[in-house]
Amino acid sequence: MSLYAPERQVTPSSPPVVTLRPATPADAALLAAWDREPHVIACSSDDPEAEVAFDGIDWTDELSNSAYELTYVIAEVEGRPVGVMAVCDPETEPSHYWGEIEPNLRAIDIWIGPAEWLGRGVGTAMMSQMIDRCFADPAVEAIVIDPLNRNTAAIRFYRRLGFRPEGRRMFDGDDCLVHRLTRPDWEARSR
Ligand SMILES: CC(C)(COP(=O)(O)OP(=O)(O)OC[C@H]1O[C@@H](n2cnc3c(N)ncnc32)[C@H](O)[C@@H]1OP(=O)(O)O)[C@@H](O)C(=O)NCCC(=O)NCCS
């Protein structure tokens, strides 16, 4: 501390207040723009040639088709969209992306859109709220996620939330490291 500078309270930056709302077809253009962000492309596939995330998914179709059984949620800070999550029951999700899997689970995908919002606590707030929502259903026993095995930053983020690694698995040609968060682990963490 300088003898001459006025004394200043040094506090770590407080995490932003994050609110969640359902995504609607009106969010399609926003999500398509986020699909062009390098950090979103990098998390979506092992393909080094990919120029757009999620194979250029048609978001208008995705957000309009309630038969997909995927729930998309937009995270906002001060009314500005900053991230998105997709949640499903991996056992009943119609594409059977997860293959044979037991009931009473939820699967979550998450990404921050604008790069300037990375590493500012938004993802932790988003996931914490969504995990609480999932476990609010007493039937839900655990939450599964499938980060790419090379996505070490996301894996560190998930493990900090209490997810534990289950094993490597190939999904559509991508080398993923499946993790699971059990209800007891989440409840122990929240105490
Ligand atoms: C993974 C992801 C969703 C995490 O969200 P995030 O908002 O960046 O995560 P957080 O800020 O909550 O925490 C991550 C880091 O920021 C730090 N952090 C947390 N709160 C913070 C704050 N208020 N101010 C500054 N840094 C903070 C954490 O300590 C952590 O640091 P570390 O991982 O380097 O040790 C986000 O980084 C992302 O979208 N990555 C690209 C897409 C992706 O990989 N998605 C996952 C696919 S499986």
Side-chain angles (χ1 to χ4, degrees):
M1 186 195 302
S2 160
L3 287 176
Y4 304 104
E7 196 172 331
R8 246 182 344 139
Q9 188 84 26
V10 178
T11 52
S13 60
S14 50
V17 176
V18 174
T19 55
L20 303 183
R21 64 162 174 83
T24 75
D27 295 306
L30 174 78
L31 291 176
W34 290 354
D35 285 351
R36 299 269 168 196
E37 292 282 344
H39 65 278
V40 181
I41 297 171
C43 83
S44 76
S45 150
D46 273 332
D47 178 3
E49 308 288 312
E51 291 179 354
V52 62
F54 312 114
D55 292 329
I57 184 173
D58 180 339
W59 283 111
T60 304
D61 181 43
E62 186 77 9
L63 296 171
S64 313
N65 191 344
S66 54
Y68 287 147
E69 291 190 20
L70 246 72
T71 303
Y72 287 96
V73 172
I74 298 284
E76 294 186 339
V77 175
E78 294 176 359
R80 278 195 299 161
V82 294
V84 60
M85 286 179 286
V87 187
C88 72
D89 176 336
E91 191 211 14
T92 60
E93 186 272 312
S95 79
H96 296 295
Y97 172 84
W98 284 85
E100 281 296 307
I101 192 161
E102 72 267 36
N104 301 325
L105 301 178
R106 293 293 178 269
I108 303 180
D109 278 325
I110 178 172
W111 59 103
I112 302 293
E116 65 268 25
W117 281 100
L118 291 166
R120 294 168 65 180
V122 170
T124 301
M126 289 170 66
M127 277 300 275
S128 300
Q129 290 183 47
M130 187 52 76
I131 293 166
D132 280 340
R133 283 187 189 192
C134 291
F135 285 135
D137 178 344
V140 173
E141 293 167 5
I143 296 167
V144 290
I145 51 158
D146 65 335
L148 293 173
N149 183 54
R150 61 174 171 73
N151 193 351
T152 50
I155 289 171
R156 194 168 58 233
F157 163 81
Y158 288 128
R159 291 196 184 166
R160 201 180 290 120
L161 285 161
F163 284 85
R164 297 174 195 247
E166 288 215 305
R168 302 268 281 275
R169 186 168 159 190
M170 296 302 289
F171 284 97
D172 297 339
D174 294 325
D175 178 8
C176 298
L177 181 50
V178 172
H179 284 65
R180 180 179 292 238
L181 175 67
T182 63
R183 178 186 288 276
D185 277 352
W186 182 246
E187 288 175 352
R189 187 182 178 278
S190 325
R191 271 197 290 271

